[in-house]
Amino acid sequence: MNPDIKVEHLSDTCVRLTSLLEAPAERVYRAWTSPSEVGHWFAPAPGAKCEVSEMDVRIGGKYTMTVIMPEVRHTMSGRYTALEPGRLIRFSWSGTCDSEDEEASEVTVELTPVENGTQLTLTHNRLLDEDSCNRHAQGWIGCITGLSHYIGN
């Protein structure tokens, strides 16, 4: 089952995605913060895979991962700037996601327990422009769908 994902363009440089995941917030948080788990679901499209080369989950800790698709590889890296187990993950995001220029932006993942699981709200801010917002929104839809399948929705 594919999750229902709501996409809102808050500006030309900020996109927000929300989805209900049928798992407890602690489980969703662990899927985002465990290197052995991220590689199983963090892929923006069918046939893509993710290799995590570094994931130091602490404030100031660095992550580096590469999404491999048949035609292209995208490497993303950044640092964790806020962590609240079961509630919040915020990190800087730098990568060449379908762009000639390296982008430096910020991702915030908020987890809110609800009756049937967890409301995930992902906000990607400080993107380059509207085109970048659209491309990242499509990538995040794929990742959230992969997460939903991975944790058992």
Side-chain angles (χ1 to χ4, degrees), residues 75-78 93-105 126 128 132 136:
T75 298
M76 291 79 59
S77 63
W93 174 275
S94 202
T96 55
C97 301
D98 287 336
S99 171
E100 293 292 322
D101 300 316
E102 186 155 307
E103 298 187 66
S105 53
R126 298 197 311 250
L128 289 177
S132 178
H136 281 85

Side-chain angles (χ1 to χ4, degrees), residues 32 63 79-81 89-93 105-107 109 140:
W32 274 92
Y63 73 89
R79 294 197 179 273
Y80 294 98
T81 58
I89 306 161
R90 181 173 296 126
F91 49 93
S92 60
W93 174 275
S105 53
E106 179 183 70
V107 177
V109 178
W140 285 121

Side-chain angles (χ1 to χ4, degrees), residues 55-76:
M55 187 173 270
D56 182 8
V57 183
R58 63 181 172 85
I59 303 230
K62 187 176 179 187
Y63 73 89
T64 304
M65 56 188 166
T66 301
V67 171
I68 302 162
M69 294 183 273
E71 308 283 320
V72 68
R73 297 169 64 99
H74 297 297
T75 298
M76 291 79 59

